[in-house]
Structures are given as C-alpha cells and as structure tokens.
Amino acid sequence: MQTLAHFGDGGPGPWILFFPVIWALVIGGGIALLRRTVWRGRRGGPAHRSPVDEHSPIAVLGHRFASGEIDEDEFWRRLSVLTEEFGPTKGNP
C-alpha cells in the first residue's frame, strides 16, 4: 500500500485498482451473456419447452378472461381451483 500512497514518486497510484475492477466487469458481463444465450438452451430453456396446450383448462380460462367473458375476480377464483387440480406444470414434460 506504500506504492499507492506515494504515486507522485513514480508509483502506479490509485489507478492500479481500476484495472481489476474493469476485468471483473468484463468477466461478469461475459458470464451474464452466456447465461442468457448459450447455457439457457442446455438447461431446457424456452427453446426446448413444449408449447402450452391451447385446449388446456387454464389456457381456456386465460382466453375467456382476455376476451372479457369473465371479470378479474372470477378469473382468480377459477384459476386457484384449476391450479390445485391440474397444476401449472402437470402434463408438461
């Protein structure tokens, strides 16, 4: 730390702390990019999931709510019953 304190005498000064921070940001950004693109497909991300069956009871309920046939309270009440019976992931591989 003496070198940082005496940067006027030819030492690197406080700038020497800047480069490890830059490298940490570059490495962290690379890992974040890989997690969002390449590694997601290997874990069964959106590219490998089966599409939701449009005729499942939960999907039909969502369509009825979107079209205005039922209100929000009715939607949540029925969704809680359907989720108990069918579950959000039941039937999906």
Side-chain angles (χ1 to χ4, degrees), residues 56-59 61 77-88:
S56 72
I58 295 175
L61 180 65
R77 187 174 58 79
R78 290 183 182 205
L79 182 64
S80 66
V81 172
L82 289 174
T83 305
E84 288 176 7
E85 185 175 338
F86 294 103

Side-chain angles (χ1 to χ4, degrees), residues 22-71:
I22 292 296
W23 276 111
L25 289 173
V26 167
I27 291 170
I31 290 173
L33 182 67
L34 287 173
R35 287 186 68 189
R36 289 186 148 283
T37 58
V38 178
W39 293 340
R40 176 173 284 185
R42 292 184 184 167
R43 290 188 312 207
H48 293 289
R49 290 186 186 155
S50 63
V52 176
D53 183 20
E54 290 189 25
H55 302 292
S56 72
I58 295 175
V60 171
L61 180 65
H63 289 299
R64 290 185 64 196
F65 176 64
S67 67
E69 291 180 38
I70 59 174
D71 63 353

